[in-house]
Amino acid sequence: MATDAPHVLVVDDTFLDRLVAYRVLKGSNIQVTIKEGPKQALEFLNMEHDVKLILTDYCMPDMIGYDLLMEVKESPKLKHIPVVIMSSDNIPERMKKCLDAGAKEYIIKPLSAVDVPRILSYI
């Protein structure tokens, strides 16, 4: 894989959803790092400087995707990184809340290969 491949951080507490996202993104020659929750993602982001996009689940046990989005957007070091929220739930109020807070998009799971060019356009 080319070293100039964009680096995407996937944050999801569900193994199957992580696997699907990983395979879909890897199929497009994207460098993928997977974290099981927002706290691990924030620790990783504080050490890693080449993440170009965060793809995060909304519903997770310790901290929801919206909270991760807010942490990223309030951080001078991280606020430039685009965030895309994924969820199994099609809840318009939740979608609007995330988009109003700065999420680039709210995708209904599962992530599909047709979603990839669109989400990469945010980088």
Side-chain angles (χ1 to χ4, degrees):
M1 177 173 41
T3 54
D4 61 348
H7 187 179
V8 174
L9 175 60
V10 174
V11 187
D12 201 313
D13 63 314
T14 306
F15 173 78
L16 189 57
D17 290 328
R18 287 194 306 266
L19 183 64
V20 167
Y22 178 82
R23 289 199 172 152
V24 167
L25 293 168
K26 276 294 199 186
S28 296
N29 287 327
I30 294 167
Q31 180 187 345
V32 182
T33 298
I34 294 185
K35 295 295 170 188
E36 291 185 25
K39 290 179 180 157
Q40 298 94 319
L42 288 167
E43 288 171 14
F44 177 77
L45 288 164
N46 283 324
M47 296 181 300
E48 190 65 40
H49 304 289
D50 72 338
V51 171
K52 302 293 185 224
L53 179 87
I54 299 167
L55 187 59
T56 183
D57 184 23
Y58 183 87
C59 291
M60 292 178 281
D62 294 337
M63 185 178 177
I64 60 172
Y66 177 81
D67 296 330
L68 176 60
L69 169 68
M70 296 311 294
E71 291 273 343
V72 168
K73 292 304 169 192
E74 290 170 5
S75 164
K77 183 179 155 195
L78 304 175
K79 66 181 179 186
H80 67 281
I81 303 173
V83 178
V84 173
I85 307 268
M86 298 181 295
S87 180
S88 303
D89 304 315
N90 186 351
I91 301 173
E93 299 80 25
R94 183 188 292 168
M95 292 173 150
K96 181 176 180 348
K97 179 180 174 184
C98 292
L99 294 170
D100 288 350
K104 292 293 184 182
E105 189 168 342
Y106 187 104
I107 293 175
I108 303 301
K109 290 181 184 180
L111 183 68
S112 162
V114 298
D115 298 316
V116 174
R118 192 177 65 253
I119 65 172
L120 288 184
S121 73
Y122 302 129
I123 295 176

